[in-house]
Amino acid sequence: MRLDKFLSDMGICSRRDASRIGARGEIRVNGNVIRDPSAKINEEKDEVIFCGEKIRYEKTQIIMMNKPAGYICAADDPREKTVTELLGDREKRSELFPVGRLDKDTVGLLIFTNDGDLCHKLLSPKKHVDKIYYLKSDKPLGESDIAAFMEGVYIEKDLKTQPADLRIDTDPLYGYLTIHEGKFHQVKRMLEAVGKRVVYLKRVEFGGVSLDESLAPGEYRRLTDEERKVLMSSPSVMK
Ligand code: URA
Protein backbone atom coordinates (compact mmCIF):
# COMPACT_ATOMS: atom_id res chain seq x y z
CA MET A 1 0.00 0.00 0.00
CA ARG A 2 1.18 3.55 -0.68
CA LEU A 3 2.29 5.46 2.40
CA ASP A 4 -0.06 8.38 1.69
CA LYS A 5 -3.04 6.03 1.26
CA PHE A 6 -2.18 4.32 4.54
CA LEU A 7 -2.16 7.69 6.31
CA SER A 8 -5.38 8.92 4.74
CA ASP A 9 -7.20 5.59 5.33
CA MET A 10 -6.30 5.86 9.00
CA GLY A 11 -7.64 9.43 9.04
CA ILE A 12 -4.22 10.85 9.94
CA CYS A 13 -3.98 13.37 7.12
CA SER A 14 -4.96 13.94 3.51
CA ARG A 15 -2.69 12.59 0.79
CA ARG A 16 -1.62 16.14 0.00
CA ASP A 17 -0.65 16.75 3.63
CA ALA A 18 1.27 13.47 3.66
CA SER A 19 3.41 14.87 0.90
CA ARG A 20 3.99 18.20 2.72
CA ILE A 21 4.67 16.61 6.11
CA GLY A 22 6.81 13.88 4.54
CA ALA A 23 8.97 16.55 2.91
CA ARG A 24 9.62 17.98 6.40
CA GLY A 25 11.06 14.59 7.39
CA GLU A 26 8.32 13.85 9.93
CA ILE A 27 7.36 10.40 8.65
CA ARG A 28 9.43 7.37 9.48
CA VAL A 29 8.96 3.79 8.34
CA ASN A 30 10.91 1.18 10.32
CA GLY A 31 13.10 3.96 11.66
CA ASN A 32 13.97 5.49 8.25
CA VAL A 33 12.75 8.96 7.27
CA ILE A 34 10.56 8.61 4.17
CA ARG A 35 9.94 11.77 2.20
CA ASP A 36 8.23 10.20 -0.79
CA PRO A 37 4.50 9.75 -0.06
CA SER A 38 4.14 7.24 -2.89
CA ALA A 39 6.58 4.84 -1.18
CA LYS A 40 5.12 1.35 -0.77
CA ILE A 41 4.79 -0.06 2.72
CA ASN A 42 3.51 -3.27 4.24
CA GLU A 43 0.64 -1.92 6.31
CA GLU A 44 0.48 -4.98 8.55
CA LYS A 45 4.18 -5.31 9.32
CA ASP A 46 5.96 -1.99 8.89
CA GLU A 47 6.21 0.44 11.77
CA VAL A 48 4.99 3.87 10.69
CA ILE A 49 5.70 6.87 12.91
CA PHE A 50 3.93 10.09 11.96
CA CYS A 51 5.08 13.26 13.77
CA GLY A 52 6.28 11.06 16.64
CA GLU A 53 3.08 8.98 16.88
CA LYS A 54 3.03 5.30 16.02
CA ILE A 55 0.17 4.60 13.61
CA ARG A 56 -1.41 1.18 13.63
CA TYR A 57 -3.27 0.00 10.57
CA GLU A 58 -6.88 -1.09 10.97
CA LYS A 59 -8.76 -1.82 7.77
CA THR A 60 -11.95 -2.04 9.79
CA GLN A 61 -12.06 0.79 12.27
CA ILE A 62 -14.53 0.54 15.13
CA ILE A 63 -15.19 3.00 17.93
CA MET A 64 -17.72 3.20 20.73
CA MET A 65 -19.33 6.46 21.80
CA ASN A 66 -21.33 7.24 24.89
CA LYS A 67 -24.09 9.02 23.00
CA PRO A 68 -25.46 12.05 24.81
CA ALA A 69 -29.16 13.03 24.75
CA GLY A 70 -30.13 15.71 22.23
CA TYR A 71 -28.16 14.35 19.25
CA ILE A 72 -29.59 12.49 16.28
CA CYS A 73 -27.86 9.59 14.54
CA ALA A 74 -27.21 11.03 11.09
CA ALA A 75 -24.24 12.19 9.06
CA ASP A 76 -25.55 15.77 8.93
CA ASP A 77 -28.77 17.64 9.43
CA PRO A 78 -29.69 21.27 8.77
CA ARG A 79 -31.52 21.72 12.10
CA GLU A 80 -30.43 19.08 14.60
CA LYS A 81 -27.13 18.32 16.33
CA THR A 82 -25.71 15.03 15.03
CA VAL A 83 -23.50 12.38 16.65
CA THR A 84 -21.06 12.74 13.74
CA GLU A 85 -20.32 16.31 14.86
CA LEU A 86 -18.92 14.88 18.08
CA LEU A 87 -16.16 13.03 16.21
CA GLY A 88 -12.67 14.45 15.85
CA ASP A 89 -10.92 15.18 12.55
CA ARG A 90 -9.26 11.78 12.44
CA GLU A 91 -12.58 9.89 12.68
CA LYS A 92 -14.27 12.28 10.26
CA ARG A 93 -11.49 11.76 7.71
CA SER A 94 -11.89 7.99 8.12
CA GLU A 95 -15.56 8.37 7.23
CA LEU A 96 -16.84 6.50 10.26
CA PHE A 97 -20.62 6.20 10.42
CA PRO A 98 -22.97 5.02 13.18
CA VAL A 99 -24.15 1.40 13.14
CA GLY A 100 -27.91 1.86 13.31
CA ARG A 101 -29.72 4.60 15.14
CA LEU A 102 -30.59 5.60 18.65
CA ASP A 103 -33.39 8.11 19.20
CA LYS A 104 -32.50 11.72 19.93
CA ASP A 105 -33.32 11.26 23.64
CA THR A 106 -31.67 7.81 23.97
CA VAL A 107 -28.20 7.73 25.49
CA GLY A 108 -25.42 5.19 25.74
CA LEU A 109 -23.54 2.79 23.53
CA LEU A 110 -23.26 3.74 19.89
CA ILE A 111 -20.84 1.91 17.61
CA PHE A 112 -19.23 3.60 14.60
CA THR A 113 -17.32 1.88 11.82
CA ASN A 114 -16.00 2.51 8.32
CA ASP A 115 -16.88 -1.07 7.29
CA GLY A 116 -20.18 -1.26 5.42
CA ASP A 117 -20.25 -5.08 5.42
CA LEU A 118 -19.78 -5.28 9.16
CA CYS A 119 -22.48 -2.65 9.67
CA HIS A 120 -24.87 -4.61 7.48
CA LYS A 121 -24.19 -7.83 9.38
CA LEU A 122 -24.63 -6.19 12.76
CA LEU A 123 -27.98 -4.74 11.74
CA SER A 124 -29.41 -7.65 9.78
CA PRO A 125 -32.52 -9.00 11.53
CA LYS A 126 -31.40 -12.51 10.52
CA LYS A 127 -28.20 -12.26 12.54
CA HIS A 128 -29.79 -11.79 15.97
CA VAL A 129 -27.22 -9.41 17.42
CA ASP A 130 -28.14 -8.76 21.07
CA LYS A 131 -28.75 -5.24 22.30
CA ILE A 132 -29.27 -4.54 25.97
CA TYR A 133 -31.11 -1.40 27.12
CA TYR A 134 -31.41 -0.02 30.61
CA LEU A 135 -34.73 1.72 30.94
CA LYS A 136 -36.95 3.59 33.34
CA SER A 137 -40.66 3.06 33.00
CA ASP A 138 -43.37 5.46 34.16
CA LYS A 139 -45.03 2.57 36.03
CA PRO A 140 -43.48 -0.36 37.92
CA LEU A 141 -42.47 -3.34 35.81
CA GLY A 142 -43.75 -6.76 36.81
CA GLU A 143 -43.83 -10.49 36.11
CA SER A 144 -46.57 -10.02 33.51
CA ASP A 145 -44.23 -7.75 31.49
CA ILE A 146 -41.46 -10.36 31.64
CA ALA A 147 -43.90 -12.98 30.33
CA ALA A 148 -45.33 -10.68 27.64
CA PHE A 149 -41.89 -9.76 26.27
CA MET A 150 -40.79 -13.40 26.31
CA GLU A 151 -43.89 -14.31 24.31
CA GLY A 152 -43.55 -11.29 21.98
CA VAL A 153 -45.81 -8.24 21.83
CA TYR A 154 -47.53 -6.52 18.90
CA ILE A 155 -45.90 -3.15 18.31
CA GLU A 156 -48.15 -2.63 15.32
CA LYS A 157 -50.82 -4.62 13.55
CA ASP A 158 -49.22 -7.86 12.27
CA LEU A 159 -45.83 -6.97 13.76
CA LYS A 160 -44.93 -9.14 16.73
CA THR A 161 -41.56 -8.78 18.42
CA GLN A 162 -39.21 -11.74 18.82
CA PRO A 163 -38.77 -13.12 22.35
CA ALA A 164 -37.00 -10.55 24.52
CA ASP A 165 -35.62 -10.84 28.01
CA LEU A 166 -36.63 -8.34 30.70
CA ARG A 167 -34.73 -8.28 33.98
CA ILE A 168 -36.32 -6.00 36.56
CA ASP A 169 -33.94 -4.00 38.76
CA THR A 170 -34.26 -3.67 42.56
CA ASP A 171 -36.39 -0.59 41.95
CA PRO A 172 -39.21 -1.97 39.73
CA LEU A 173 -39.36 1.25 37.72
CA TYR A 174 -36.04 0.19 36.17
CA GLY A 175 -35.08 -2.82 34.10
CA TYR A 176 -32.69 -4.30 31.55
CA LEU A 177 -34.29 -5.36 28.29
CA THR A 178 -32.38 -7.59 25.85
CA ILE A 179 -33.65 -7.58 22.28
CA HIS A 180 -32.25 -9.32 19.22
CA GLU A 181 -33.76 -7.09 16.54
CA GLY A 182 -33.93 -3.35 16.03
CA LYS A 183 -37.28 -2.11 14.85
CA PHE A 184 -37.93 1.63 14.81
CA HIS A 185 -38.51 2.86 18.42
CA GLN A 186 -38.67 -0.79 19.40
CA VAL A 187 -38.16 -0.52 23.16
CA LYS A 188 -40.55 2.42 23.52
CA ARG A 189 -43.20 0.63 21.48
CA MET A 190 -42.75 -2.59 23.47
CA LEU A 191 -43.38 -0.71 26.70
CA GLU A 192 -46.42 0.96 25.14
CA ALA A 193 -47.72 -2.49 24.18
CA VAL A 194 -47.86 -3.35 27.90
CA GLY A 195 -49.43 -0.01 28.89
CA LYS A 196 -46.27 1.76 30.04
CA ARG A 197 -44.05 4.57 28.84
CA VAL A 198 -40.25 4.75 28.65
CA VAL A 199 -39.03 7.84 30.50
CA TYR A 200 -35.27 7.09 30.22
CA LEU A 201 -33.45 4.82 27.80
CA LYS A 202 -29.78 3.92 27.69
CA ARG A 203 -28.13 1.25 25.56
CA VAL A 204 -25.57 -0.57 27.68
CA GLU A 205 -24.52 -3.43 25.40
CA PHE A 206 -24.34 -4.16 21.68
CA GLY A 207 -23.19 -7.47 20.18
CA GLY A 208 -21.54 -8.55 23.43
CA VAL A 209 -19.64 -5.26 23.85
CA SER A 210 -20.49 -3.22 26.96
CA LEU A 211 -20.54 0.55 27.19
CA ASP A 212 -17.35 1.82 28.82
CA GLU A 213 -18.92 3.77 31.67
CA SER A 214 -15.75 5.84 32.06
CA LEU A 215 -16.63 7.62 28.81
CA ALA A 216 -18.42 10.90 29.56
CA PRO A 217 -21.45 11.64 27.35
CA GLY A 218 -20.12 12.55 23.90
CA GLU A 219 -16.75 10.86 24.45
CA TYR A 220 -15.58 7.90 22.41
CA ARG A 221 -12.69 5.50 22.05
CA ARG A 222 -11.44 2.74 19.78
CA LEU A 223 -12.52 -0.77 20.64
CA THR A 224 -9.86 -2.94 22.26
CA ASP A 225 -8.67 -6.04 20.38
CA GLU A 226 -10.81 -8.20 22.66
CA GLU A 227 -13.92 -6.08 22.06
CA ARG A 228 -13.31 -6.15 18.29
CA LYS A 229 -13.18 -9.95 18.38
CA VAL A 230 -16.39 -10.19 20.40
CA LEU A 231 -18.27 -7.73 18.18
CA MET A 232 -17.09 -9.21 14.90
CA SER A 233 -18.07 -12.71 15.98
CA SER A 234 -21.48 -11.66 17.34
CA PRO A 235 -23.55 -11.80 14.15
CA SER A 236 -24.78 -15.40 13.99
CA VAL A 237 -27.59 -16.73 11.91
CA MET A 238 -28.79 -19.18 14.55
CA LYS A 239 -28.61 -18.43 18.24
N1 URA B 1 -35.63 1.48 21.08
C1 URA B 1 -36.17 2.72 21.14
O1 URA B 1 -37.37 2.87 21.35
N2 URA B 1 -35.35 3.76 20.97
C2 URA B 1 -34.03 3.66 20.78
O2 URA B 1 -33.33 4.66 20.65
C3 URA B 1 -33.47 2.37 20.72
C4 URA B 1 -34.30 1.29 20.88
Side-chain angles (χ1 to χ4, degrees), residues 48-75:
V48 178
I49 309 275
F50 179 87
C51 296
E53 185 192 352
K54 184 173 169 179
I55 311 298
R56 199 171 85 149
Y57 188 69
E58 279 176 350
K59 188 165 190 289
T60 292
Q61 298 183 52
I62 314 174
I63 64 167
M64 70 158 81
M65 176 185 282
N66 184 1
K67 177 192 175 292
Y71 287 78
I72 64 162
C73 292

Side-chain angles (χ1 to χ4, degrees), residues 104-119:
K104 185 174 167 184
D105 57 350
T106 302
V107 300
L109 179 58
L110 185 62
I111 299 285
F112 287 76
T113 185
N114 60 339
D115 184 333
D117 277 353
L118 175 66
C119 179

Side-chain angles (χ1 to χ4, degrees), residues 101-106 133 179 183-189 198 201 203:
R101 286 163 191 252
L102 291 176
D103 297 337
K104 185 174 167 184
D105 57 350
T106 302
Y133 292 89
I179 60 175
K183 304 265 189 296
F184 187 56
H185 296 324
Q186 178 156 347
V187 176
K188 290 175 183 164
R189 291 199 288 165
V198 169
L201 189 58
R203 184 155 65 192

Side-chain angles (χ1 to χ4, degrees), residues 134-143 145-146 166-177 191 196 199-200:
Y134 182 62
L135 62 92
K136 182 177 186 191
S137 160
D138 67 337
K139 297 189 198 84
L141 300 159
E143 291 299 322
D145 301 319
I146 296 178
L166 174 65
R167 190 158 52 83
I168 302 173
D169 213 347
T170 339
D171 177 344
L173 285 177
Y174 292 87
Y176 290 89
L177 182 64
L191 266 277
K196 300 180 171 69
V199 295
Y200 173 77

Side-chain angles (χ1 to χ4, degrees), residues 27-232:
I27 306 176
R28 285 177 181 268
V29 178
N30 300 329
N32 303 313
V33 171
I34 304 291
R35 295 177 195 275
D36 173 8
S38 71
K40 291 279 193 308
I41 61 156
N42 180 325
E43 65 275 15
E44 305 292 343
K45 294 197 180 129
D46 291 341
E47 183 188 69
V48 178
I49 309 275
F50 179 87
C51 296
E53 185 192 352
K54 184 173 169 179
I55 311 298
R56 199 171 85 149
Y57 188 69
E58 279 176 350
K59 188 165 190 289
T60 292
Q61 298 183 52
I62 314 174
I63 64 167
M64 70 158 81
M65 176 185 282
N66 184 1
K67 177 192 175 292
Y71 287 78
I72 64 162
C73 292
D76 56 69
D77 190 276
R79 282 174 298 274
E80 304 279 5
K81 292 184 286 185
T82 71
V83 290
T84 316
E85 287 167 26
L86 296 167
L87 298 175
D89 290 345
R90 185 167 170 187
E91 287 71 28
K92 284 190 186 135
R93 270 195 297 263
S94 295
E95 297 178 356
L96 298 183
F97 49 84
V99 177
R101 286 163 191 252
L102 291 176
D103 297 337
K104 185 174 167 184
D105 57 350
T106 302
V107 300
L109 179 58
L110 185 62
I111 299 285
F112 287 76
T113 185
N114 60 339
D115 184 333
D117 277 353
L118 175 66
C119 179
H120 181 72
K121 281 190 196 131
L122 291 169
L123 295 179
S124 163
K126 290 194 208 108
K127 309 277 182 183
H128 303 282
V129 171
D130 286 359
K131 293 130 200 134
I132 306 183
Y133 292 89
Y134 182 62
L135 62 92
K136 182 177 186 191
S137 160
D138 67 337
K139 297 189 198 84
L141 300 159
E143 291 299 322
S144 61
D145 301 319
I146 296 178
F149 292 156
M150 189 46 74
E151 166 63 28
V153 291
Y154 283 92
I155 54 175
E156 61 188 71
K157 190 170 174 289
D158 300 331
L159 183 54
K160 193 178 178 190
T161 54
Q162 290 172 15
D165 181 60
L166 174 65
R167 190 158 52 83
I168 302 173
D169 213 347
T170 339
D171 177 344
L173 285 177
Y174 292 87
Y176 290 89
L177 182 64
T178 305
I179 60 175
H180 317 284
E181 48 189 345
K183 304 265 189 296
F184 187 56
H185 296 324
Q186 178 156 347
V187 176
K188 290 175 183 164
R189 291 199 288 165
M190 286 175 72
L191 266 277
E192 273 166 28
V194 294
K196 300 180 171 69
R197 197 168 54 84
V198 169
V199 295
Y200 173 77
L201 189 58
K202 175 180 187 178
R203 184 155 65 192
V204 293
E205 200 179 300
F206 185 101
V209 173
S210 300
L211 173 67
D212 179 345
E213 297 282 354
S214 73
L215 293 171
E219 282 184 350
Y220 58 87
R221 68 159 170 80
R222 286 184 185 251
L223 259 56
T224 62
D225 289 347
E226 188 52 37
E227 288 167 338
R228 288 170 64 88
K229 243 185 264 160
V230 170
L231 186 75
M232 287 165 136

